[in-house]
Amino acid sequence: MTIAPLTSPPAHAPAQTADRPKKGTWRLVLIAALLIYIFIPIVGLLRFSTRAANGISFQFYRDAFADPSFYSFLGNSLFAGLWTIAITLTLTTFTLYWAYLKARWLLPLMEMLSLLPFVVPAVTLGIGLIQVFTTPPLALTGTPQLLIGAYAIVTLPFAYRAVENSLQGANVLTLTEAAESLGASWWRIFIEIILPCVWSGVISGGLLVFSFVFGEFTLALFLVGSSYQTFPLYIQQLYSYQPQYSVVMSLLSFVATWLAAWLLVVFTRGKN
Amino acid sequence: MSYLELVHLFKSYGSVMAVQDVNLQIPAGEFISLLGPSGCGKTTILRMIAGFEKTTGGSILLEGQDITHIPANRRDMGMVFQSYSLFPHMTAGQNIAFGLRVKRLSHGQQRIRVHEMLELVGLSGMGDRYPHQMSGGQQQRVALARALAISPRLLLLDEPLSALDAKVRLQLRNEIRRIQQQLDITTLFVTHDQEEALSISDRVVVMSQGRIDQAGTPEEIYLTPSTAFTASFIGAMNQIPGVWEGEQVRVSAHPNTQIPDEFLRTQTMEISNGTNVLVLVRPESITVLRPEDSIPADYNLLSGLVTSRIFLGSVVRLSVLVGEFYLNVDVPTAQAEQFTSGQVVQLGFPADQCRVLAIAPAAPQSALPHKQVRSVV
Ligand SMILES: Nc1ncnc2c1ncn2[C@@H]1O[C@H](COP(=O)(O)OP(=O)(O)OP(=O)(O)O)[C@@H](O)[C@H]1O
Ligand SMILES: [Mg+2]
């Protein structure tokens, strides 16, 4: 939703000629309102984080980035994000490819299953996972493995949609058979033929997954809490004793997410 | 010895019998077409030969070797598909080189072969284009080049021309034939277009409902169809039902009219008296006689009523009601003007142009729909 101004710039407005001036104006007003709605909090954050006795200062930024724990938290989030991407996308891409080849009838069911994570609230999932994973054979609470596992499930809908879209466009079955008749092995076909065809879907799925993980709070709080702190947990923690730092961090998180969204737009547009 | 042999081949999808007891022997270097209506199992046979589809029964022998259970990627077959199947992220040249790369040819060898193949299919200099930068016809040429590059043991073509427009289609089909003869490669070509099959094949296999109906040279198929299905499927054919009575066929008159039964003289056949038969005559074999024409001795004569006319270019096809059935009659366009609907005309056709097919009284597998009007356009 927040991407709207990027994908459809107000370029429409000048195209509207005299016969419908009102509609053009309204559109401009709406877009302006949306931008204000999005940017006012950011401007507030910016002001708050740069306020100093003698005007503007970037001291908080310098200090925040100088804090070594910042890098360890950022590293944790990156680690979780990359692993989640790897697991979710590998799972989805392989499974979907297989289903497209051998079991198309499974697709509607898979689609439904892939949406399940949307239906289960994060709190429920978190508490549920804790219940299962605290007793000895499966004592994983507090480990990044459990968090990444949970993320891999929760981000399934993003990855599924993105990969499925691009598989749909490619004529997977015929391409596979053509490559097969040319002697190619299954792996070769997957790596050299199918993956390049669905690459844009994999990338955009990856970016969606990443921005989700980068901002996820609830599951991290429940599953790992203080033992494996991710970036959002860090922000929350900072907030109680160094609010300005936490503001700097949320701005950073915001920028990262927007960057991901922007890349997403670039990728999906480039393919069409 | 035959190069490719299909032995009692069966394929079923659940309760659907897609292919039933297909036996076929194909000598090396032959261009053979599988021809038949939609859903008759042509693609299924091709896909079993390629290894994309498991057989339900029977076996496939290539050069005497049983390949029925060999995976598709070890069968060495070149396949061209109906839908565009080029790898979209690779140029034409890279597409052609793919199979060579799999075979681990050196870069130099690959380059030479790609060049050769592009030349063969008439696309020299287009090696750097991506599929989306080429027309449908060009894409199918590249697909053909890609399939041929690996010097496959068989070339399999599944309606490769059906997505193309008429002119490109004609051109490309002749080129496929030229290339096939140049390389002397055994080729199976699937099509539902009879003209396509008849014009470029050494042999045509007519299929119906999962079975082979008739196999033979294009001339045999066209001139001497051995089943009612082939007769009606290939070209336009009049099928007149009657009863074999020694040297001639009795054609029953319409019960509601006073017109007496007609007798048709036909090619001589070994059929027992009283058998139900179909008399087959091509529309182009029938002449509309003028009063002043002298009538050859072996002519069958019938009179009928012109009910409609269709302009087909070089000929006009008249539909003539004779007794209880309609006959299609082709007259040269230049002479067609004189015939109008409602006119009574005298038709003649020589006995040796009339083939006779015996039809069993209660044929369970009759491909012919049980309807009264037996003239099939
Ligand atoms: N995967 C499948 N599952 C179930 N039935 C199938 C499958 N593939 C083919 N069939 C059935 O098998 C029969 C033969 O199909 P096939 O594709 O071989 O026909 P075809 O002669 O190639 O027809 P067309 O000219 O339309 O391509 C059809 O009745 C079809 O419905
Ligand atoms: Mg087919």
Side-chain angles (χ1 to χ4, degrees), chain A residues 3 5 9 49 69 77 87 117 121 136 234 264:
Chain A
I3 311 173
S49 62
S69 59
S77 263
I87 294 170
Y234 175 56
L264 199 74

Side-chain angles (χ1 to χ4, degrees), chain B residues 42-43 82 158-159 190:
Chain B
K42 311 178 292 284
T43 298
Q82 176 173 2
D158 189 2
E159 308 203 25
V190 161

Side-chain angles (χ1 to χ4, degrees), chain A residues 105-143:
Chain A
W105 53 273
L106 263 180
L107 286 172
L109 184 71
M110 283 170 59
E111 166 123 40
M112 216 177 71
L113 285 177
S114 82
L115 289 174
L116 271 186
F118 275 161
V119 188
V120 182
V123 181
T124 318
L125 185 64
I127 293 177
L129 284 171
I130 291 176
Q131 295 297 322
V132 176
F133 288 100
T134 35
T135 43
L138 296 169
L140 286 172
T141 333
T143 63

Side-chain angles (χ1 to χ4, degrees), chain A residues 171 173-186 188-189 192-194 196-197, chain B residues 47 52 72-73 77 79 81 83-90 98-99 101-102 146-147 150:
Chain A
N171 192 354
L173 185 64
T174 309
L175 293 183
T176 302
E177 287 178 348
E180 242 182 321
S181 71
L182 294 168
S185 65
W186 196 90
R188 181 168 209 136
I189 297 173
E192 289 190 29
I193 308 294
I194 301 305
C197 287
Chain B
R47 290 174 58 79
F52 300 141
N73 61 3
M77 302 205 176
M79 176 116 181
F81 299 82
S83 56
Y84 300 135
S85 62
L86 294 184
F87 308 134
H89 57 289
M90 295 186 191
F98 182 80
R101 217 146 42 79
V102 172
R146 180 178 68 180
I150 58 169

Side-chain angles (χ1 to χ4, degrees), chain B residues 15-57:
Chain B
S15 61
V16 180
M17 289 298 271
V19 172
Q20 301 186 53
D21 197 20
V22 163
N23 293 283
L24 198 58
Q25 292 172 358
I26 304 172
E30 192 175 57
F31 190 114
I32 194 161
S33 290
L34 300 182
L35 174 66
S38 187
C40 71
K42 311 178 292 284
T43 298
T44 306
I45 291 183
L46 209 67
R47 290 174 58 79
M48 285 193 286
I49 297 173
F52 300 141
E53 214 75 67
K54 285 201 181 79
T55 56
T56 306

Side-chain angles (χ1 to χ4, degrees), chain B residues 276-349:
Chain B
N276 286 324
V277 295
L278 285 177
V279 178
L280 309 176
V281 202
R282 296 268 176 212
E284 67 261 29
S285 303
I286 306 178
T287 326
V288 182
L289 299 167
R290 288 164 300 177
E292 67 268 25
D293 285 340
S294 64
I295 299 159
D298 68 333
Y299 258 44
N300 290 302
L301 297 178
L302 295 170
S303 57
L305 189 70
V306 178
T307 57
S308 70
R309 33 182 294 162
I310 308 168
F311 178 64
L312 295 177
S314 62
V315 297
V316 169
R317 181 160 296 166
L318 303 177
S319 179
V320 180
L321 180 63
V322 180
E324 65 164 347
F325 53 89
Y326 289 87
L327 284 185
N328 284 318
V329 180
D330 286 355
V331 289
T333 301
Q335 297 157 29
E337 206 141 293
Q338 50 188 307
F339 307 115
T340 52
S341 285
Q343 188 179 350
V344 174
V345 291
Q346 181 81 12
L347 304 176
F349 46 96

Side-chain angles (χ1 to χ4, degrees), chain A residues 45 48 64 234-240 242-252:
Chain A
L45 288 176
F48 183 65
Y234 175 56
I235 295 175
Q236 193 263 348
Q237 202 182 49
L238 277 180
Y239 187 68
S240 48
Q242 278 172 319
Q244 279 93 348
Y245 286 2
S246 100
V247 164
V248 170
M249 291 302 136
S250 30
L251 274 172
L252 183 72

